[in-house]
Amino acid sequence: MGRFYVTTPIYYVNDVPHLGTAYTTVVADALRRFHQVVGDETFMLTGTDEHGLKIEREAKAKGLDPKTFCDGISARFREAWPKLEITPDRFIRTTDADHEAFVQELWKKIEATGDLYEGEYEGWYCVGCESLKTEKELEQPGNLCPLHKTAVERVKESSYFFKLEKWQRPLLDFYERHPNFIQPESRRNEVLSFVRGGLNDLSVSRTTFTWGIPVPGNPKHVMYVWFDALTNYRSALGSGDLTKFWAPNAKVVHLMGKDILRFHAVFWPAFLLSAGYTDEEIPDVVYAHGFLTVDGQKMGKSLRNAVDPLRLAAELGPDVLRYHLLRAIAFGQDGDFDHAALLERYNADLGKNLGNLLSRVLGLCTKMTDSKHPGDDLATDGPLEAELGEAYELNVRAAYEAWQSLAPHTAIDHAMKLSNAANLYIAKTEPWAQAKNGDAARVNKILSRMLRVLEALSVMLWPAIPVKAEAMRAQLGLPRLGITIGSDLWPTKMPESRAGLALASAGPLFPTHDEKAQKELLDKLVPKAEVVAGEAAPAVTAKAVAGSASGESGLVAYDDFAKVDLRVGVVKTCEKVPKKDKLLRLTVDLGEAEPRTIVAGLALSFTPEALVGKKVIVVANLAPREFGSAEFDGKKVKLVSHGMLLASGPSEDLRLATIDGDAAPGSRLK
Ligand code: ME8
């Protein structure tokens, strides 16, 4: 029995839980569950990152003090995860008192070693990244952050510096001693070449705002948000019994997206080494996974909010979403989340493969074994049993190894291969024909073998689909896994026959959706365009809103009107949509991290060039709408509009609504 400690990033509270944050958190939970199944003692940590300039500004924009603002969004994260069957052992907030005290202690330890000094920082800062940028990193023109595509800010202030430069050599030596520290391999190489290129001392405090942990002995400074945030992984364990999860015999795995690998792979071990932690007390693995797109598009803020993982879980059950996230995306690589693929995968893997196996076997047992587990005489095994046995051994071992090496997609694939082999075994052994021949012993053998494989599958798939796996076990008459963990339950050997045990089957567990049902679900899950944005603009006047909100009267209550989020936008790019006469595809700056993609029916009235640079009025909180697909640069993409422009007039002579005078992108109309 070992110990396994897995963490997700702590998420910024400038956003609510979305598919990206759900992804990392689902993977962490699945890995933790696998380790529970093999009998390890486990600890899972997630939480929220609440300090820093980004959050202070966001709170101010909402007219709230930062703590009240953080309380609200942090609670949304805390409440979200159980809806995806995720129950972390601790949900940490960087505003928790024990965390703040721990961070200050760590600071003091580092200060005592002489690795901190006071100076003045002048340079470029991206508030989106909460990170200083070198001139070299910026995109021109406009001094843009390469990740956020927004202009960085010039900062000049007194600051403490951490002597990161001094840790270049020790870090490289550490990476060499621990070749598995940075995963996957390709990312490790990136980090190595970054560190080999030389490190600059790191500014680790700020004096121009106050929303952060005060620097001990010099409260004019608040700590740099990443110093505060990274420390959560250690502060969460405190200094009592839980430190066993930071001990040499515990495996510590930090999961994160590739966007923030550098902070974890460079700064974090440097802080720990500086504070006197030994190699053994530095995490075992920092694993940077890829980024998800949705239906082929980068997940900007509007799209993230539209593909709500909690809604998907509520609509389809948490397991369907978990399964797809774990199975469809090769962990470590970028991947696309496609609604249609989600339903297809569910149908194929869980419905047709596993679901059919389960319902077929249970159905046969109802007819042939009086709904009990039959006995199984191993002495009479033949070549088909040997073939199944081989598939069993191979896939159970490979799945185990895949979970251990952080490859959930491969682990699940092996469970499905075993399910396939079992379906094949039934097809070849034809228990129904054996029953007709009156060969009860053979029927019993076949069904018993299948029940044992199903039992093994319920264990192998529990990390991915805990609700369905427990339901499978209930149908098989087996105890819940969740209450029996604590010893190694991995089915390395095929489970023993459970002759005589009553089955408790009831209803199909994985009902498949036919084409019509799939289409209906898709219509529900992916908002479709009913009208072309731009053309429909006049419909967003008070009249239309009133029509839906207040029925006959034609009047709209102020509260209803206030729900419509109208914002000033600036058109950044604009192009014609091939083969769609009326449509233009625009990107519009709304003061968000990334410009929005908006599809509008303006092409009969404007050339694309005429619109670039124009100030427009955008309905910013309209659910995304799809306009079919089109080919751009030889690639077929879905046309999804994330907002609507306001305009007036006939479609060949539209006039755009705009604002007079100066207004920054994102300004709200009131
Ligand atoms: O970076 N695909 O917080 P954050 C996959 N507070 N994963 C995604 C994703 C996408 N499109 N979008 C987000 C921070 N993620 C800091 C972390 S840790 C000490 C401090 C996931 O709210 C992924 O895990 O911006 C990514 O690294 C994380 O959300 C960023 O979350």
Side-chain angles (χ1 to χ4, degrees):
M1 246 185 59
R3 293 202 175 101
F4 181 73
Y5 174 30
V6 65
T7 68
T8 74
I10 44 172
Y11 302 114
Y12 285 129
V13 289
N14 68 324
D15 208 340
V16 294
H18 56 71
L19 198 67
T21 45
Y23 177 59
T24 322
T25 317
V26 162
V27 175
D29 178 73
L31 289 172
R32 186 271 260 285
R33 284 176 185 270
F34 164 75
H35 281 272
Q36 286 179 321
V37 159
V38 300
D40 289 343
E41 221 180 329
T42 64
F43 195 86
M44 177 189 164
L45 178 71
T46 188
T48 44
D49 190 356
E50 306 186 5
H51 291 128
L53 188 56
K54 170 153 70 179
I55 305 304
E56 188 180 87
R57 282 188 185 166
E58 192 85 14
K60 210 177 252 166
K62 299 261 172 356
L64 295 171
D65 73 274
K67 182 62 170 51
T68 310
F69 169 72
C70 292
D71 287 349
I73 309 269
S74 181
R76 301 222 8 213
F77 277 95
R78 187 195 292 272
E79 287 156 15
W81 304 137
K83 294 179 185 154
L84 302 179
E85 289 300 308
I86 301 167
T87 41
D89 295 285
R90 175 159 180 190
F91 182 95
I92 194 169
R93 300 180 57 183
T94 50
T95 48
D96 287 342
D98 65 331
H99 168 77
E100 295 194 350
F102 195 99
V103 178
Q104 290 188 318
E105 284 311 308
L106 185 75
W107 179 282
K108 284 195 235 162
K109 273 191 199 159
I110 295 179
E111 194 169 34
T113 64
D115 275 354
L116 294 177
Y117 63 92
E118 267 188 274
E120 177 155 285
Y121 180 80
E122 182 170 6
W124 299 106
Y125 195 80
C126 170
V127 182
C129 294
E130 288 284 19
S131 174
L132 296 158
K133 301 274 164 191
T134 61
E135 198 97 26
K136 257 197 340 224
E137 286 174 291
L138 304 180
E139 278 180 10
Q140 301 300 347
N143 285 341
L144 303 182
C145 160
L147 194 68
H148 290 93
K149 310 285 179 211
T150 47
V152 293
E153 297 175 17
R154 191 79 191 160
V155 296
K156 182 172 186 229
E157 59 188 303
S158 39
S159 167
Y160 280 89
F161 284 82
F162 172 70
K163 290 185 183 165
L164 185 61
E165 192 185 344
K166 152 184 162 186
W167 288 97
Q168 181 197 16
R169 191 66 254 162
L171 278 172
L172 289 170
D173 293 344
F174 174 80
Y175 301 147
E176 201 158 314
R177 289 195 299 279
H178 301 279
N180 295 324
F181 174 63
I182 303 165
Q183 293 188 39
E185 183 73 17
S186 56
R187 303 264 165 233
R188 172 184 152 83
N189 297 336
E190 272 172 35
V191 173
L192 288 190
S193 66
F194 169 73
V195 176
R196 282 193 192 117
L199 297 172
N200 296 323
D201 287 354
L202 180 70
S203 159
V204 284
S205 75
R206 307 287 309 265
T207 42
T208 48
F209 66 94
T210 55
W211 183 235
I213 301 181
V215 165
N218 195 351
K220 274 210 312 270
H221 290 251
V222 292
M223 289 182 207
Y224 174 41
V225 61
W226 275 99
F227 184 89
D228 163 358
L230 288 162
T231 308
N232 93 90
Y233 300 130
R234 178 62 192 79
S235 72
L237 303 175
S239 48
D241 182 46
L242 288 177
T243 51
K244 65 187 177 194
F245 288 105
W246 204 262
N249 63 351
K251 180 159 183 180
V252 180
V253 175
H254 294 323
L255 304 181
M256 77 226 56
K258 61 185 181 182
D259 54 332
I260 54 174
L261 172 63
R262 207 175 275 182
F263 299 93
H264 287 79
V266 183
F267 299 173
W268 181 221
F271 295 154
L272 289 170
L273 287 168
S274 166
Y277 285 86
T278 62
D279 268 28
E280 307 271 66
E281 296 165 312
I282 292 182
D284 296 84
V285 177
V286 294
Y287 193 106
H289 63 70
F291 253 52
L292 300 191
T293 48
V294 171
D295 294 336
Q297 299 194 66
K298 194 157 179 253
M299 252 200 276
K301 199 161 177 176
S302 54
L303 189 57
R304 286 209 300 268
N305 296 345
V307 188
D308 178 0
L310 302 182
R311 184 162 162 244
L312 285 171
E315 205 72 57
L316 306 166
D319 284 358
V320 177
L321 175 65
R322 289 174 61 108
Y323 184 82
H324 187 68
L325 288 174
L326 290 163
R327 176 69 191 85
I329 300 140
F331 194 55
Q333 290 169 26
D334 291 338
D336 186 47
F337 181 91
D338 181 298
H339 287 86
L342 168 119
L343 297 180
E344 273 155 29
R345 186 171 296 283
Y346 166 79
N347 263 359
D349 288 9
L350 297 179
K352 296 209 174 103
N353 186 345
L354 180 67
N356 267 357
L357 178 69
L358 181 69
S359 55
R360 244 165 138 190
V361 171
L362 292 174
L364 289 167
C365 288
T366 310
K367 281 195 226 133
M368 298 176 186
T369 71
D370 195 19
S371 290
K372 291 207 171 69
H373 283 251
D376 182 358
D377 178 6
L378 299 181
T380 59
D381 273 3
L384 292 178
E385 283 70 40
E387 196 175 283
L388 177 69
E390 254 172 53
Y392 183 93
E393 262 186 39
L394 185 143
N395 286 300
V396 174
R397 188 172 352 100
Y400 177 90
E401 281 160 12
W403 281 116
Q404 288 286 13
S405 57
L406 311 179
H409 57 290
T410 311
I412 296 173
D413 188 44
H414 283 292
M416 283 304 139
K417 283 193 172 123
L418 174 58
S419 177
N420 250 335
N423 274 318
L424 201 67
Y425 173 78
I426 296 204
K428 285 186 182 170
T429 50
E430 299 184 327
W432 45 90
Q434 311 296 342
K436 253 195 214 144
N437 298 341
D439 191 345
R442 182 90 187 124
V443 169
N444 284 352
K445 174 192 291 294
I446 298 165
L447 292 179
S448 170
R449 205 55 58 98
M450 289 298 88
L451 289 166
R452 292 159 59 193
V453 170
L454 281 166
E455 176 173 346
L457 285 170
S458 77
V459 181
M460 293 168 76
L461 287 167
W462 186 76
I465 49 168
V467 180
K468 293 291 184 186
E470 293 286 16
M472 250 173 100
R473 293 179 67 82
Q475 294 201 341
L476 297 169
L478 300 170
R480 285 178 64 80
L481 258 194
I483 53 168
T484 51
I485 49 183
S487 52
D488 186 357
L489 303 171
W490 190 255
T492 310
K493 285 203 353 232
M494 204 181 285
E496 294 294 316
S497 151
R498 298 196 180 251
L501 182 74
L503 296 160
S505 71
L509 267 190
F510 302 99
T512 51
H513 309 120
D514 61 17
E515 221 171 282
K516 185 166 161 269
Q518 268 201 48
K519 199 179 163 310
E520 278 168 12
L521 270 171
L522 280 178
D523 281 346
K524 208 156 147 193
L525 298 172
V526 188
K528 283 269 179 310
E530 284 143 24
V531 283
V532 173
E535 267 189 347
V540 194
T541 57
K543 187 160 164 254
V545 177
S548 60
S550 314
E552 298 298 285
S553 77
L555 294 176
V556 59
Y558 177 78
D559 284 353
D560 288 326
F561 169 69
K563 286 181 196 153
V564 182
D565 187 9
L566 295 175
R567 300 216 176 228
V568 176
V570 175
V571 179
K572 305 303 279 180
T573 63
C574 181
E575 61 194 322
K576 276 181 159 304
V577 177
K579 300 197 181 141
K580 311 243 178 189
D581 292 348
K582 290 186 184 171
L583 293 187
L584 294 177
R585 187 171 76 162
L586 309 94
T587 57
V588 179
D589 179 5
L590 286 178
E592 298 169 326
E594 287 152 23
R596 298 258 192 124
T597 300
I598 293 182
V599 180
L602 301 171
L604 300 183
S605 307
F606 298 93
T607 60
E609 303 77 55
L611 289 178
V612 174
K614 266 220 171 357
K615 276 209 191 88
V616 289
I617 304 300
V618 178
V619 184
N621 62 342
L622 196 66
R625 308 195 144 211
E626 201 186 305
F627 296 89
S629 53
E631 240 182 67
F632 288 94
D633 304 326
K635 243 180 104 184
K636 194 166 168 195
V637 295
K638 282 195 179 145
L639 283 173
V640 182
S641 189
H642 300 280
M644 184 163 88
L645 304 188
L646 295 191
S648 175
S651 57
E652 56 302 329
D653 190 21
L654 282 163
R655 303 293 147 105
L656 279 175
T658 183
I659 190 152
D660 68 339
D662 271 350
S667 305
R668 191 161 183 188
L669 271 70
K670 4 181 200 206

